[in-house]
Amino acid sequence: MTAKREKENGIVETIKTVVYALLIAGIFRSLFFQPFWIPSGSMKDTLLIGDFLFVNKMAYGYSRYSCPFGLCPFDGRILASDPERGDVVVFRHPVNGTDFIKRLIGLPGDSIQMKDGVLHINGEPVEITPAGDFEEEYRKQGPVGYFPQCENAPVGEGGTCTKPRSIETLPNGVSHSVLNIRDGFFSDNTPVFSVPEGHYFFMGDNRDNSQDSRYSRANGGVGFVPAENLIGRADRIMFSSGGRSLFFLWTWRADRFFKAVE
């Protein structure tokens, strides 16, 4: 075999290896776990900007949105399992096609309302327990460079940004922390939302800084989310970096590595 032929065969084998690797990665991403970076502060302090996690796509079964670009060739869901209230879920936005991550608050048939900052489910207020303040440095966060919103604003860059934190317990016993930035905001008092069959109602844990089901799609929110738009459940943070770049090693948050999402 000539050197030219050996070189050509080497190139072909390299291409085949790359193609196989891409196919395996695509199958793994479509069927099992999808990587997800937290881009905004809407789920603080459960999830922080720069948290990296894998989304469990087996949790609720599969829809066309389980495949990259929504290309799975079927409608509805197969191997479907119902999500549970309180799950932290990644779903496809019903209008703009981006992936969002929020907490599941309302199930089909529920009525949801915020009254004076307290979540009401089916007419009953959930249990709220004060849990001190959430503190963070007032600086640009993540690649986009968002400044956090603060209850004690205005805060100079480098200062301490605080938000009151409470533990919210849902009717099924799931407890999680929620943050409050300001009182009397629209997000604190809403109309009653009646969740239709086949849809879910989502909210961010950072209640005054989340475009979620409390806001209509025309106003930048997500409205009610169809069941087929669910992609998977966030179970565990694998890695976390608080800086503008992954390569800023001094901004890595080792205490969040492999932390369970609650």
Side-chain angles (χ1 to χ4, degrees):
M1 182 179 294
T2 66
K4 181 179 179 181
R5 179 62 60 82
E6 289 180 352
K7 183 177 180 180
E8 290 175 348
N9 287 343
I11 293 173
V12 170
E13 289 303 315
T14 299
I15 293 173
K16 287 168 63 177
T17 299
V18 171
V19 170
Y20 291 152
L22 291 174
L23 286 173
I24 293 172
I27 292 172
F28 183 86
R29 184 183 185 279
S30 298
L31 296 181
F32 302 111
F33 298 97
Q34 175 178 321
F36 192 87
W37 283 97
I38 302 301
S40 73
S42 70
M43 283 295 294
K44 289 179 181 178
D45 65 334
T46 303
L47 298 172
L48 304 181
I49 294 175
D51 283 349
F52 174 79
L53 48 85
F54 282 104
V55 179
N56 180 357
K57 303 182 81 168
M58 299 174 284
Y60 310 132
Y62 304 94
S63 74
R64 63 191 181 100
Y65 296 111
S66 299
C67 294
F69 310 109
L71 295 179
C72 282
F74 50 81
D75 294 323
R77 301 195 75 84
I78 60 174
L79 303 177
S81 296
D82 293 332
E84 296 184 8
R85 195 191 313 274
D87 285 355
V88 177
V89 179
V90 172
F91 58 88
R92 186 65 50 86
H93 191 289
V95 175
N96 65 29
T98 57
D99 290 346
F100 273 37
I101 185 166
K102 305 288 181 186
R103 189 175 298 277
L104 175 56
I105 297 296
L107 304 176
D110 282 343
S111 63
I112 305 295
Q113 186 178 22
M114 293 291 293
K115 295 182 180 180
D116 297 324
V118 177
L119 172 64
H120 287 62
I121 299 178
N122 297 323
E124 296 295 327
V126 302
E127 180 183 340
I128 290 286
T129 305
D133 286 341
F134 170 69
E135 297 183 349
E136 58 185 335
E137 184 181 352
Y138 187 75
R139 58 173 174 78
K140 292 182 178 180
Q141 299 178 344
V144 178
Y146 291 124
F147 279 104
Q149 295 189 29
C150 313
E151 187 267 344
N152 61 327
V155 178
E157 190 164 359
T160 300
C161 173
T162 65
K163 287 176 274 289
R165 172 171 45 198
S166 299
I167 301 301
E168 182 178 84
T169 301
L170 301 176
N172 60 345
V174 173
S175 295
H176 58 276
S177 66
V178 294
L179 302 181
N180 179 60
I181 299 172
R182 58 187 71 87
D183 294 327
F185 197 52
F186 168 80
S187 54
D188 289 338
N189 292 280
T190 71
V192 175
F193 299 98
S194 298
V195 186
E197 289 300 317
H199 292 73
Y200 295 96
F201 190 96
F202 289 92
M203 294 173 64
D205 291 348
N206 193 2
R207 290 287 164 81
D208 294 330
N209 187 27
S210 176
Q211 291 293 321
D212 50 40
S213 292
R214 291 170 293 175
Y215 298 85
S216 69
R217 298 169 191 171
N219 292 321
V222 300
F224 300 119
V225 178
E228 73 167 355
N229 287 51
L230 306 190
I231 293 174
R233 185 181 63 220
D235 291 333
R236 190 169 297 275
I237 300 164
M238 304 304 296
F239 173 83
S240 184
S241 174
R244 300 293 300 277
S245 169
L246 171 67
F247 300 104
F248 292 174
L249 305 186
W250 59 92
T251 67
W252 289 9
R253 298 180 288 229
D255 61 318
R256 298 186 66 78
F257 290 12
F258 309 112
K259 181 179 179 181
V261 177
E262 298 177 345

